[in-house]
């Protein structure tokens, strides 16, 4: 059996396709991390622009409310526009804080909670806040519950869904296309091990001193060794990724902005 295992190993390392598959594994991993790094950059830029526009819109609304208050004839209208001015001033201040947060990649959960509270307040009081959000009141309330859950349980919030921490990578490996790609590549590696049954090679082996069961068992054992080595390679890549991006939150899945993924959330 040792001879058969040596045969499988020598055949494996001499097959150019296998080296190509290992290269594809490495490139897939590096490509995935690099793409997420790019997406992270785009996400931060988009968020920064979003709250920059929110500041501008708030200032525009403050100016309008001041003009409306000045032109209002009835006292109740003056009071309404006065309250609206104070509201949009708070909205401007919060948008400015979030603009700073995303610019420095250090998003404050308190600022996000305050922002959501202001949007909910604006919708309830029927202020015109279309330029700030297209989300419904129910969605904003649901998101607010999630934010408060994070704060209550001291769960750190990530500034982007694309940060490649090891915990996020593990989630994507089990739930997304990355795991499927790696699984396909593994099957490409073991394909040649059993392909020989159709090539007549094992007809020779079956007529030799080795019995059929031992030959098949050798292939199974070598496949297991190959799987262990494959997992070892993934663990090594995860280790390198941890050195670069950190471990992340190992108790919960990643939680970001308006996309929060938490295990066993109860309200």
């Amino acid at each position: 059996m040792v001879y058969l295992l040596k045969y499988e190993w020598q055949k494996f390392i001499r097959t150019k396709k296998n080296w190509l598959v290992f290269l594809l594994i490495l490139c897939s991993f590096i490509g995935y991390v690099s793409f997420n790094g790019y997406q992270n950059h785009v996400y931060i830029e988009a968020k920064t622009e979003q709250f920059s526009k929110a500041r501008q819109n708030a200032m525009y609304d403050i100016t309008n409310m001041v003009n409306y208050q000045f032109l209002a004839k009835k006292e109740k209208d003056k009071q309404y526009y006065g309250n609206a001015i104070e509201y949009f001033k708070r909205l401007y201040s919060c948008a400015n804080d979030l603009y700073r947060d995303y610019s420095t990649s250090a998003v404050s959960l308190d600022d996000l909670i305050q922002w959501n509270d202001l949007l909910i307040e604006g919708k309830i009081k029927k202020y015109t806040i279309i330029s700030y959000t297209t989300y419904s009141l129910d969605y904003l309330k649901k998101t607010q519950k999630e934010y408060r859950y994070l704060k209550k349980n001291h769960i750190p919030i990530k500034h982007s869904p694309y940060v490649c921490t090891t915990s996020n990578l593990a989630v994507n490996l089990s739930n997304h296309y990355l795991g499927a790609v790696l699984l396909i590549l593994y099957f490409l590696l073991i394909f040649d091990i059993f392909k020989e049954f159709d090539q007549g090679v094992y007809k020779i082996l079956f007529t030799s001193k080795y019995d059929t069961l031992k030959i098949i068992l050798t292939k199974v054992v070598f496949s297991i060794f190959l799987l262990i080595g494959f997992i070892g390679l993934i663990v090594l890549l995860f280790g390198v990724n941890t050195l670069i991006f950190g471990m992340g939150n190992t108790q919960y899945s990643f939680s970001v902005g308006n996309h929060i993924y938490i295990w066993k959330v109860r309200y």
Side-chain angles (χ1 to χ4, degrees):
M1 188 170 179
V2 174
Y3 173 80
L4 289 174
L5 285 172
K6 286 182 178 179
Y7 164 76
E8 291 291 348
W9 172 248
Q10 289 174 358
K11 182 191 68 173
F12 180 80
I13 62 175
R14 288 174 182 172
T15 304
K16 293 179 180 179
K17 178 185 69 66
N18 293 335
W19 290 102
L20 180 61
V21 170
F22 276 115
L23 183 62
L24 284 173
I25 293 170
L26 188 61
C27 289
S28 297
F29 201 92
I30 294 174
Y32 177 82
V33 172
S34 300
F35 178 72
N36 275 263
Y38 169 75
Q39 290 287 80
N40 177 63
H41 175 72
V42 171
Y43 180 89
I44 295 301
E45 281 192 340
K47 282 293 184 180
T48 304
E49 183 180 357
Q50 173 190 344
F51 288 107
S52 177
K53 288 183 177 178
R55 292 188 309 173
Q56 295 171 11
N57 291 334
M59 187 57 67
Y60 175 79
D61 288 328
I62 291 168
T63 303
N64 279 345
M65 292 301 112
V66 169
N67 292 333
Y68 292 148
Q69 186 184 38
F70 177 77
L71 296 172
K73 302 296 183 184
K74 297 178 181 179
E75 189 60 35
K76 66 176 183 179
D77 290 336
K78 289 182 181 293
Q79 184 62 40
Y80 172 82
Y81 291 123
N83 292 336
I85 290 169
E86 292 304 315
Y87 168 78
F88 284 109
K89 282 182 178 178
R90 287 185 285 132
L91 202 66
Y92 172 85
S93 177
C94 188
N96 190 56
D97 289 342
L98 281 166
Y99 172 79
R100 176 205 62 211
D101 291 347
Y102 279 104
S103 298
T104 58
S105 297
V107 179
S108 166
L109 186 56
D110 287 332
D111 287 342
L112 286 170
I113 290 173
Q114 183 186 2
W115 177 254
N116 246 47
D117 275 337
L118 287 169
L119 294 181
I120 290 170
E121 179 186 342
K123 284 188 176 288
I124 291 174
K125 291 184 176 179
K126 301 189 183 303
Y127 292 137
T128 304
I129 56 170
I130 297 174
S131 59
Y132 300 95
T133 182
T134 56
Y135 295 124
S136 66
L137 182 59
D138 287 341
Y139 179 86
L140 290 171
K141 287 181 177 180
K142 177 178 177 294
T143 302
Q144 197 68 329
K145 286 182 179 179
E146 294 171 337
Y147 285 152
R148 295 194 185 283
Y149 177 88
L150 293 177
K151 184 174 181 180
K152 179 181 177 182
N153 291 276
H154 308 290
I155 303 171
I157 188 165
K158 304 300 178 187
H159 67 275
S160 166
Y162 303 105
V163 176
C164 283
T165 60
T166 297
S167 58
N168 287 356
L169 203 60
V171 171
N172 289 332
L173 184 66
S174 58
N175 296 338
H176 297 85
Y177 61 87
L178 181 62
V181 169
L182 293 176
L183 190 62
I184 291 170
L185 291 174
Y186 171 71
F187 281 117
L188 282 175
L189 285 177
I190 65 172
F191 176 73
D192 282 342
I193 298 175
F194 296 94
K195 187 178 68 173
E196 288 179 336
F197 282 113
D198 296 329
Q199 296 178 334
V201 174
Y202 273 84
K203 287 182 180 179
I204 300 172
L205 287 174
F206 287 151
T207 57
S208 66
K209 61 181 179 180
Y210 302 105
D211 59 61
T212 303
L213 181 61
K214 185 174 289 187
I215 294 170
I216 296 174
L217 184 61
T218 299
K219 288 197 167 292
V220 173
V221 170
F222 187 76
S223 298
I224 293 173
F225 286 156
L226 191 60
L227 178 61
I228 293 172
F230 186 81
I231 294 173
L233 176 62
I234 301 304
V235 170
L236 177 62
L237 292 174
F238 265 68
V240 173
N241 187 79
T242 303
L243 293 175
I244 299 172
F245 296 101
M247 180 63 71
N249 194 328
T250 55
Q251 185 178 2
Y252 297 89
S253 308
F254 57 74
S255 50
V256 293
N258 290 318
H259 309 276
I260 298 186
Y261 304 82
I262 313 173
W263 298 338
K264 300 179 181 178
V265 177
R266 294 180 181 178
Y267 303 121

